[in-house]
Amino acid sequence: MSKSRGAGALGARIWANVILFGLIGQIAWIVENMYFSRFMQNEITRAPYATTLLVAFSAIFATVSTLIGGALCDRTGKRKLFICWGYLIWGFTIMMFALVPMKPTAEKVLPLVILVVAMDCIMSVIGSISNDAAFNTWITDISNTANRARVDTVLAIMPLFALAVVFGGFDSLTNANATTDDWKKFFIILGIIPSIGGIIGLFMMNDKKGIAPNKANSFLSDFTYSLQPKIIKENKMLYICLAGNAISAIAYQIYVNYLFNIVEGTMGIKNYIIPVGIIMVVSAVVSVIVSSAMDKHGKKHFYYPTITAGIIGCIVVWASKFLIGKNETVLIVVLIIGGILLIGVSLVMAGLFTASYRDYIPKGKEGLFQGCRMVMYVLVPMIVGPVIAQTIINVSNRGVSDSEIVYPMELFLGAAVVMLFCFIPARIVRNKQPEFHNKLMKDLEK
């Protein structure tokens, strides 16, 4: 057992880099994934097509960029270069949003929608190369099967800490009463953070020793490597793990882009900082405890309970609609209970499926397999999820003008239905993964 613990131990410097770049990267992604949507809805147009375009095109550009970035990481044998300089530039792309005109007249809405979508795509390209490709390749380098559930769950709770930073410190600059100057301050401040992170990384981060450039194949071959039918067939369990994560991510994308406006507008909870803070803290603590149990007892026992808890969480939050306008205290309590289940499960699912996916990555192909992760974890969910959401919103707002659109609680019910499909890949991974996990553990003990 001592050998297993030794194999799973990571030094303080590595953990510092995991947390630093995990947190700063997620601060940037929180701005992109949640606040760009809020910016679009509050300052440009509430029509759901705009949010759908924003999310979908961002996903497309992010996925292609990760495929390119992953290939470059393996071909050059470098990760730090792309991470640190990428974060530095990433911050500037966020700051550029301070220049976007707000509150447009009707004839200028569409041009501004296009402008914001284009700027979001540029931001996603830089972020995906530096974070999704290079940083995730670095994570695969420095981790192993003895610690991946813990590492991936720590990374999975980073969005919560990032949300705490952004939400707790700067949300007042983006709410319904925010001015143009408030939004400008928001984008400038939040853009400075990743840029500073990139500078710190130049002195603090190191690539894992022994990684050699791999140019055995053409760049085009490396670019499409993880999407080739032959590779998919040879590594089918890897893709089944990603499929489980994809389904969970689709469910998440149905409601997350409208979450702030649902709580503040639809539910009418104006003082939502405390309940949201409780949800984040409890979810983070629970997910870390569960991830430690997964590393200790194996992931097999956690798939079905986690998915079930996620479905229950969606239903609980949806059911809170019957308390809106009646008893705010009870409404907040129900929201907290459902929110902890929702957010907690989304974190634990990362520890389950993402850690299992990393186990199946062939040695020397760590960068090449980041592209398929983006296809399954980002591209598919960020197109399918918002389209489902737009359908639900349009059905619930028939005959309503864009300015009067209300984002319905049925978004959570839709997410619950999607979550049911997680049981299919979970059953396959649950039955196959333990044997492979034990094999990897024995290899580490040699």
Side-chain angles (χ1 to χ4, degrees):
M1 292 295 291
S2 61
K3 289 182 179 181
S4 295
R5 284 197 295 270
L10 295 174
R13 189 179 185 123
I14 289 178
W15 272 116
N17 280 294
V18 169
I19 293 170
L20 174 67
F21 284 94
L23 176 60
I24 293 176
Q26 289 306 318
I27 287 175
W29 283 135
I30 285 292
V31 175
E32 198 270 346
N33 291 332
M34 301 187 76
Y35 282 89
F36 282 0
S37 296
R38 193 179 200 185
F39 177 68
M40 181 74 85
Q41 293 157 18
N42 288 3
E43 304 301 322
I44 309 298
T45 178
R46 293 182 65 82
Y49 83 87
T51 300
T52 300
L53 289 175
L54 184 76
V55 176
F57 274 95
S58 170
I60 293 169
F61 277 79
T63 301
V64 173
S65 301
T66 304
L67 288 165
I68 294 172
L72 289 173
C73 283
D74 280 349
R75 291 179 70 82
T76 61
K78 298 182 183 297
R79 285 69 158 126
K80 175 181 175 178
L81 175 72
F82 297 105
I83 295 169
C84 297
W85 286 105
Y87 272 56
L88 180 62
I89 299 170
W90 201 7
F92 284 100
T93 65
I94 295 173
M95 288 186 245
M96 291 301 293
F97 276 79
L99 302 177
V100 176
M102 303 174 207
K103 304 293 184 184
T105 56
E107 66 273 9
K108 293 183 179 179
V109 167
L110 183 57
L112 274 179
V113 168
I114 295 172
L115 175 63
V116 172
V117 170
M119 292 177 65
D120 187 17
C121 290
I122 294 171
M123 185 268 197
S124 296
V125 167
I126 304 301
S128 294
I129 291 174
S130 58
N131 182 268
D132 291 317
F135 180 64
N136 271 283
T137 300
W138 183 84
I139 289 292
T140 304
D141 292 340
I142 57 90
S143 64
N144 58 54
T145 195
N147 56 36
R148 278 181 179 145
R150 189 161 62 254
V151 171
D152 274 310
T153 302
V154 168
L155 288 174
I157 68 174
M158 287 299 109
L160 290 187
F161 287 108
L163 187 58
V165 171
V166 180
F167 185 79
F170 309 103
D171 185 74
S172 61
L173 298 174
T174 70
N175 62 26
N177 298 319
T179 65
T180 297
D181 286 340
D182 288 335
W183 274 105
K184 288 181 178 180
K185 291 176 186 176
F186 176 81
F187 289 128
I188 291 171
I189 295 171
L190 271 298
I192 289 172
I193 293 174
S195 292
I196 291 176
I199 295 171
I200 293 173
L202 290 171
F203 302 95
M204 185 175 174
M205 175 178 267
N206 290 312
D207 285 335
K208 183 179 179 180
K209 293 181 179 179
I211 299 174
N214 184 356
K215 298 182 181 179
N217 300 311
S218 67
F219 181 82
L220 180 61
S221 177
D222 285 347
F223 176 76
T224 60
Y225 182 85
S226 65
L227 305 179
Q228 296 171 15
K230 176 186 175 183
I231 302 304
I232 295 173
K233 185 177 180 180
E234 290 174 354
N235 300 274
K236 60 183 179 181
M237 282 303 300
L238 185 154
Y239 293 87
I240 292 172
C241 292
L242 290 177
N245 219 349
I247 296 169
S248 174
I250 289 171
Y252 179 74
Q253 286 293 331
I254 290 175
Y255 62 82
V256 69
N257 298 296
Y258 301 95
L259 193 56
F260 285 140
N261 281 335
I262 288 174
V263 174
E264 184 180 24
T266 307
M267 301 182 77
I269 301 174
K270 302 303 179 184
N271 299 316
Y272 50 78
I273 291 180
I274 291 178
V276 170
I278 293 172
I279 290 171
M280 291 190 294
V281 171
V282 175
S283 297
V285 171
V286 170
S287 65
V288 170
I289 293 172
V290 173
S291 72
S292 297
M294 285 192 292
D295 277 337
K296 183 177 181 180
H297 301 291
K299 306 178 190 73
K300 178 178 180 179
H301 309 291
F302 294 86
Y303 287 98
Y304 294 167
T306 300
I307 296 169
T308 302
I311 293 170
I312 293 172
C314 288
I315 294 173
V316 169
V317 176
W318 166 75
S320 69
K321 67 178 287 185
F322 300 107
L323 297 169
I324 294 175
K326 296 179 181 178
N327 189 320
E328 185 172 282
T329 301
V330 177
L331 175 64
I332 290 174
V333 170
V334 173
L335 173 64
I336 291 173
I337 294 171
I340 290 171
L341 288 171
L342 270 182
I343 303 302
V345 163
S346 70
L347 301 179
V348 175
M349 290 290 275
L352 282 170
F353 285 112
T354 306
S356 298
Y357 141 77
R358 290 192 200 277
D359 284 346
Y360 285 105
I361 296 178
K363 190 74 173 176
K365 303 293 185 182
E366 292 83 1
L368 298 182
F369 276 97
Q370 298 308 316
C372 65
R373 182 186 68 85
M374 284 294 289
V375 170
M376 300 292 282
Y377 189 66
V378 175
L379 179 62
V380 173
M382 289 178 68
I383 291 177
V384 176
V387 168
I388 294 173
Q390 183 176 337
T391 302
I392 295 172
I393 293 169
N394 286 338
V395 169
S396 300
N397 289 274
R398 282 177 179 159
V400 176
S401 65
D402 289 349
S403 61
E404 300 297 324
I405 285 176
V406 174
Y407 303 121
M409 301 299 290
E410 280 67 28
L411 291 172
F412 297 99
L413 201 57
V417 173
V418 171
M419 281 288 289
L420 285 169
F421 292 93
C422 276
F423 284 110
I424 299 172
R427 183 177 184 276
I428 299 172
V429 177
R430 182 179 182 274
N431 292 340
K432 298 285 187 180
Q433 200 271 341
E435 181 181 349
F436 188 68
H437 173 79
N438 291 336
K439 176 182 177 299
L440 293 176
M441 289 296 293
K442 289 179 181 178
D443 290 342
L444 288 173
E445 293 172 359
K446 291 180 180 178

